[in-house]
């Protein structure tokens, strides 16, 4: 498979909707403002980071990430992860794709849990891997069927990929299921790649389970500044892994494709992590306030929509009970300036053709919901006829 064979479905849609009025799909947290971040950094007593941001070399940063940002990110994990177990990439998208290219050889087999972010699967195919898909369903509360994973394992299985917290449903994998998958990986000698970009956005923080990178040397965990903190502009993503041999592979892949990330972005990312408690508290307040509005809306319109309340992240996968598919519904929504992500974005099978993803992690969500409600009110009678 060539790198450019398959279109990136979400990017194709976003290119058409640059000036859209209501981004009801958006999944990253409320974007951080630089001055706001500086103020929080000063309040935390980290003036030296502000000074460093205004006075640092614009030469190359270190391959795989400078020591200080790797050490800062390691604080997000337990003691099994140190600065030596982190590789920095220019964003999570680069991290997930280059990791697949580093870990998969031509003819290797991988198991991918779907629906999920497209690049999680595409990177394996770029590397020449053969993919078996394991589908999640709402009937199982979007939980992985461990028996299905067992049945898919082959002698050449090298990689299991899943997303937790899950995009698009916002579900959390049960800890016992995650433990069973880790056990399978250790027994059969394959690696587990966990896309954890929505971690730290659990509605109930007590529901947060261990990172796969903390659970096993076979685990690789993906993170990014974009989703929990709204700092995608730092362009800092990372992969964490206990296995130093894996880390060396990722460092080589990162160097071959990107050399380094922005030093300014690294410094800003350090500021973000230092102020993490305040930023995530703000973002969770937005999410929880928006969830109240969504609960009210979907309760009122339960004859038209099926709403499974998310457990984490700022995304939900909604079932439309009306007379058209989610793809058709999304097209009509675009005509009135509202963007949701229909099922084709996640390459869903036929059983999920009525589902579409919404996002509720930004302050703009209430206005998007109001516009969506107006759209529904104008059409609901015709949908029922």
């Amino acid at each position: 498979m060539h790198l450019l064979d398959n279109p990136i479905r979400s990017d194709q849609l976003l290119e058409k909707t640059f000036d859209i009025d209501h981004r009801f799909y958006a999944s990253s947290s409320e974007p951080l403002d630089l001055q706001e971040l500086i103020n929080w950094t000063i309040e935390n007593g980290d003036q030296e980071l502000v000074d460093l941001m205004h006075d640092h070399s614009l030469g190359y940063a270190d391959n795989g990430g400078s020591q200080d940002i790797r050490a800062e990110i390691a604080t997000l994990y337990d003691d099994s992860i140190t600065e030596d177990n982190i590789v920095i990439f220019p964003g999570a998208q680069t991290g997930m794709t280059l990791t697949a290219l580093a870990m998969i050889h031509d003819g290797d087999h991988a198991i991918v849990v779907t629906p999920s972010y497209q690049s999680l699967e595409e990177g394996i195919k770029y590397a020449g891997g053969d993919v078996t898909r394991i589908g999640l369903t709402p009937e199982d509360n979007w939980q992985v069927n461990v028996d299905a994973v067992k049945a898919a394992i082959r002698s050449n299985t090298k990689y299991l990929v899943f997303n937790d917290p899950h995009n698009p449903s916002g579900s959390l994998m049960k800890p016992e299921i995650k433990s069973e998958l880790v056990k399978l990986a250790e027994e059969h000698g394959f690696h587990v790649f966990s896309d954890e970009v929505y971690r730290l956005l659990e509605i109930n923080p007590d529901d947060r389970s261990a990172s796969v990178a903390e659970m096993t040397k076979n685990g690789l965990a993906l993170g990014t500044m974009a989703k929990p903190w709204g700092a995608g502009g730092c362009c800092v993503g990372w992969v964490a892994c206990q296995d130093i041999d894996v880390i060396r592979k990722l460092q080589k892949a990162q160097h071959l494709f990107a050399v380094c990330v922005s030093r300014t972005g690294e410094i800003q990312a350090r500021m973000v992590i230092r102020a993490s408690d305040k930023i995530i508290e703000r973002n969770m307040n937005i999410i929880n306030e928006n969830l109240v509005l969504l609960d009210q809306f979907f309760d009122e319109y339960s004859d038209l929509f099926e709403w499974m309340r998310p457990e984490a992240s700022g995304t939900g996968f909604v079932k439309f009970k009306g007379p058209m598919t989610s793809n058709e519904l999304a097209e009509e929504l675009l005509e009135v300036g509202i963007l949701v992500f229909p099922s084709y974005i996640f390459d869903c099978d036929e059983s999920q053709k009525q589902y579409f993803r919404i996002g509720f992690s930004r302050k703009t969500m209430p206005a998007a919901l109001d516009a969506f409600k107006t759209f529904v009110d104008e059409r609901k009678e015709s949908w029922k006829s």
Side-chain angles (χ1 to χ4, degrees), residues 310-359:
E311 299 171 293
S313 79
T315 66
F317 215 28
V318 183
K319 182 178 181 179
F320 178 52
K321 299 178 182 180
M324 63 184 78
T325 66
S326 69
N327 297 337
E328 294 166 333
L329 177 67
E331 288 180 5
E332 289 198 10
L333 283 165
L334 278 181
E335 294 175 3
V336 296
I338 303 170
L339 176 59
V340 298
F341 271 2
S343 59
Y344 83 85
I345 294 293
F346 304 99
D347 198 19
C348 293
D349 63 27
E350 188 70 10
S351 68
Q352 293 168 17
K353 66 181 181 180
Q354 298 300 118
Y355 283 82
F356 62 96
R357 194 193 80 183
I358 61 171

Side-chain angles (χ1 to χ4, degrees), residues 66-248:
S66 300
Q67 181 275 334
D68 52 9
I69 181 58
R70 289 186 287 108
E72 208 74 62
I73 288 172
T75 66
L76 301 172
Y77 301 90
D78 68 16
D79 293 342
S80 65
I81 300 297
T82 72
E83 62 199 59
D84 296 328
N85 303 108
I86 303 285
V87 180
I88 306 296
F89 293 92
Q93 175 107 339
T94 309
M96 69 177 69
T97 303
L98 294 188
T99 298
L101 292 175
M103 301 298 293
I104 298 292
H105 293 80
D106 191 42
D108 285 345
H109 175 246
I111 301 168
V112 179
V113 176
T114 64
S116 65
Y117 191 65
Q118 182 180 357
S119 295
L120 288 172
E121 184 172 332
E122 298 293 338
I124 296 166
K125 294 176 180 177
Y126 299 154
D130 182 25
V131 172
T132 297
R133 308 176 91 207
I134 303 295
L136 304 181
T137 68
E139 291 76 19
D140 288 332
N141 295 314
W142 305 107
Q143 295 296 311
V144 177
N145 184 322
V146 177
D147 288 336
V149 175
K150 287 181 183 178
I153 296 172
R154 305 176 188 171
S155 60
N156 64 335
T157 299
K158 303 297 183 183
Y159 213 45
L160 167 65
V161 178
F162 57 74
N163 176 213
D164 180 49
H166 181 242
N167 170 31
S169 73
S171 65
L172 283 170
M173 188 182 297
K174 293 179 180 178
E176 58 269 26
I177 291 178
K178 193 184 295 188
S179 294
E180 289 185 68
L181 295 177
V182 164
K183 184 179 178 181
L184 285 176
E186 293 173 341
E187 289 176 350
H188 293 272
F190 57 79
H191 286 91
V192 180
F193 184 89
S194 177
D195 175 356
E196 299 177 353
V197 298
Y198 294 97
R199 196 162 187 262
L200 306 181
L201 292 179
E202 294 82 2
I203 307 302
N204 180 356
D206 292 338
D207 291 338
R208 184 177 305 141
S209 61
S211 166
V212 159
E214 298 168 338
M215 296 174 68
T216 176
K217 286 188 68 175
N218 294 49
L220 298 91
L222 179 74
T224 177
M225 299 308 299
K227 304 302 184 183
W229 297 282
C234 294
C235 205
V236 169
W238 66 88
V239 172
C241 181
Q242 294 182 38
D243 190 332
I244 296 301
D245 289 337
V246 170
I247 291 295
R248 292 194 183 103

